[in-house]
Amino acid sequence: MNPPFPERIRTEDLGRVHFIGMGGTGMSAVADLLVSRGLDVSGSDMKHNAALDVLEGKGARVFVPQDAANIEGAQTVVVSTAIKESNPELAAARSAGLRVIHRSDALASAMADSKTIAVAGTHGKTTTSSMIAVMLDGLGARPSFAVGSTVAALGTNAALGATGPESWFVAEADESDGSFVKYNPSVAVVTNVEPDHLDFYGSPEAVTAAFDRFVQTMTDDGVLVACEDDAGSRALTEVQRAENRPVVTYGTAEGADVRITDISGEGTRSTARVDWDFRTGSTALAGTCDLELSVPGQHNLRNAAAALCCALIGGFDAADAARALTAFTGSARRFEFKGERRGVRVYDDYAHHPTEVAAALEAARTASGGHNVYAVFQPHLFSRTREFAAEFAEALSLADRAYVVDIFPAREEPIEGVTSRLITESGHTEVRYASSSGEAAGRVASAASEGDIVMTIGAGDVTTFGDKILDELSEGGPATARDES
């Protein structure tokens, strides 16, 4: 996907739209936006889930299971990269000569004429885009948004807000398949650039080139917001500045335009001071404010600083923006509290890259208040495990004890010689293999005591392991999660 890029399809030209795999997080978000815009939407999946129920309640037609007959009457068919050409509905759409577009094209259409803030990065993009949406909502901007998980403060992962040239649309820009080059953002946020998705890109250099293309798609007056603490995003800023394009950097580094200092944290809260001094166009901006977040970790303070950059660029009051950010209490599968038994708290996190795993465990260490931190990690993809086994082991060693279960294959076939033992045999005694979720849950439950924290970590079905751990911790009866006070 190289520039120049095709024109966006106008929403009114899509006609009746059918989503193949509409129950997925990304697909359901875009379907929700098109339903909200008044389009006739249908979709299918292999089984029912909560996202499909919500869409059906809003007027979308839902088909389970998938069948070629489901596309009857559709004029546009939307697919994700996960949909194979052998899918019966896609095959029927191809045979009928229907317009078939990628989810990213449908999302670009849904953005209409709004000013877009597109958030990209190897990690942190879901939380950062969610924070920006919560902040803009708190500022009364009525943003539209589409992000990668349900935002607790907003109760959804997608919503249509105000429309028109002065409105804001916040989009999580997923780099995994290269499709994030289609959004023409007014503000492009890059949280970090590290090697990942090498099964698609093939090399770290190709990942960097994709982020270069993403930044090139900004509008003529677009601004790049990039993390000064990350080498990959710093490299992007150097290219942009050499071309005299507007750049605003954030982070803890001395050279950041928006700098985070005086960091502290207690429990699941974190605080910092933020100072800024930069220029956008003819406007000079300088000031200071305090950040008080309801989520832990230095990485979240960085994410909040990125959101504050967007507020400053958008002409909002910084103090008001900082206050609005306190309403962000997290999003699904991002340090998500699952429950407590015998004084042991269990959290779940989507982290599936070594840097993400380290950030999640550092946040857990802060929240634990000096007690032990236990982790159950499920590697995601054979190719990622092969590339980063040693780095995963080092990140997991931040826990007092980590158990690694078998690899979640997702879309991949097994690779000979690649197992979870590549991680557990990397030389860190705290990191050990568990042959099943039950074994991992039992070992953690037998070791944990009051005040300790347990983290389930990974992008696969490890999210279900928390209930098993809570059951093991329980002295009898099924586990029930409660809101953390």
Side-chain angles (χ1 to χ4, degrees):
M1 295 181 181
N2 296 301
F5 303 103
E7 293 284 332
R8 291 184 183 180
I9 304 170
R10 296 186 305 169
T11 305
E12 56 267 32
D13 292 337
L14 291 173
R16 191 195 141 200
V17 185
H18 180 81
F19 286 78
I20 304 177
M22 191 167 69
T25 302
M27 293 286 271
S28 63
V30 182
D32 194 322
L33 291 168
L34 295 188
V35 168
S36 298
R37 289 196 178 275
L39 272 67
D40 185 357
V41 173
S42 65
S44 65
D45 220 310
M46 299 304 294
K47 59 184 179 180
H48 275 288
N49 65 13
L52 292 176
D53 291 339
V54 169
L55 287 167
E56 194 166 32
K58 293 184 176 183
R61 282 169 287 173
V62 174
F63 299 98
V64 176
Q66 294 176 335
D67 186 272
N70 296 340
I71 69 163
E72 184 177 348
Q75 293 162 289
T76 301
V77 173
V78 182
V79 299
S80 68
T81 305
I83 303 301
K84 295 179 169 54
E85 289 293 328
S86 58
N87 181 283
E89 295 181 8
L90 179 54
R94 300 280 195 209
S95 178
L98 299 180
R99 177 199 287 128
V100 177
I101 63 174
H102 189 268
R103 180 192 68 87
S104 57
D105 293 301
L107 177 56
S109 175
M111 292 173 186
D113 56 352
S114 299
K115 294 180 289 187
T116 298
I117 300 172
V119 182
T122 309
H123 31 265
K125 53 187 173 287
T126 297
T127 300
T128 304
S129 53
S130 299
M131 280 185 174
I132 296 169
V134 169
M135 178 191 70
L136 290 175
D137 183 69
L139 289 167
R142 296 178 55 225
S144 300
F145 60 92
V147 301
S149 70
T150 299
V151 185
L154 301 174
T156 182
N157 68 329
L160 180 67
T163 58
E166 296 306 311
S167 65
W168 290 96
F169 194 111
V170 183
E172 178 178 343
D174 178 20
E175 84 286 358
S176 64
D177 57 6
S179 64
F180 67 153
V181 297
K182 300 179 180 180
Y183 302 139
N184 305 121
S186 301
V187 180
V189 179
V190 177
T191 58
N192 39 62
V193 181
E194 293 187 44
D196 197 12
H197 304 293
L198 298 183
D199 57 320
F200 175 79
Y201 286 105
S203 70
E205 293 76 18
V207 175
T208 300
F211 277 91
D212 283 329
R213 292 194 294 274
F214 167 70
V215 174
Q216 290 174 37
T217 68
M218 290 190 302
T219 58
D220 291 340
D221 59 350
V223 180
L224 170 63
V225 173
C227 184
E228 184 72 11
D229 297 345
D230 176 73
S233 60
R234 276 201 311 276
L236 285 180
T237 67
E238 292 169 4
V239 173
Q240 291 300 296
R241 283 178 168 148
E243 297 177 356
N244 294 316
R245 300 198 69 181
V247 173
V248 177
T249 61
Y250 67 92
T252 60
E254 285 189 16
D257 299 318
V258 178
R259 190 179 179 208
I260 309 163
T261 59
D262 298 339
I263 293 171
S264 64
E266 183 177 354
T268 56
R269 304 184 71 84
S270 52
T271 62
R273 171 177 165 166
V274 181
D275 300 281
W276 60 92
D277 187 358
F278 65 92
R279 178 180 292 275
T280 57
S282 60
T283 304
L285 297 170
T288 185
C289 71
D290 293 326
L291 276 177
E292 296 183 7
L293 302 182
S294 304
V295 288
Q298 183 170 301
H299 65 297
N300 276 322
L301 288 166
R302 287 194 184 94
N303 296 337
L308 189 62
C309 290
C310 295
L312 292 166
I313 292 166
F316 296 97
D317 181 79
D320 290 343
R323 280 192 292 270
L325 283 166
T326 64
F328 179 79
T329 55
S331 52
R333 299 225 57 212
R334 273 70 179 177
F335 206 80
E336 181 181 9
F337 179 67
K338 303 298 289 186
E340 182 176 331
R341 285 289 182 274
R342 300 204 319 254
V344 178
R345 288 170 289 163
V346 178
Y347 292 85
D348 180 50
D349 200 279
Y350 188 70
H352 53 281
H353 182 279
T355 304
E356 296 171 336
V357 173
L361 289 173
E362 286 168 353
R365 183 66 65 192
T366 298
S368 71
H371 293 275
N372 288 330
V373 174
Y374 296 89
V376 177
F377 177 61
Q378 181 186 54
H380 186 261
L381 298 178
F382 294 99
S383 58
R384 186 179 285 126
T385 305
R386 178 185 59 194
E387 295 294 335
F388 300 118
E391 291 86 350
F392 276 126
E394 184 174 356
L396 289 166
S397 71
L398 294 172
D400 294 285
R401 181 64 52 82
Y403 292 100
V404 184
V405 298
D406 291 329
I407 298 167
F408 187 82
R411 59 187 178 271
E412 288 188 336
E413 295 297 323
I415 298 173
E416 185 176 356
V418 178
T419 71
S420 293
R421 292 189 184 276
L422 290 179
I423 299 173
T424 59
E425 295 175 0
S426 290
H428 293 274
T429 58
E430 306 93 339
V431 184
R432 305 184 180 187
Y433 176 73
S435 61
S436 67
S437 60
E439 179 185 347
R443 289 189 178 187
V444 166
S446 65
S449 58
E450 184 174 357
D452 292 346
I453 282 180
V454 178
M455 294 283 298
T456 57
I457 305 173
D461 61 5
V462 68
T463 188
T464 66
F465 292 9
D467 288 338
K468 297 179 181 180
I469 294 168
L470 288 165
D471 281 340
E472 289 284 348
L473 287 165
S474 180
E475 295 181 348
T480 55
R482 62 162 176 80
D483 290 335
E484 187 176 20
S485 58

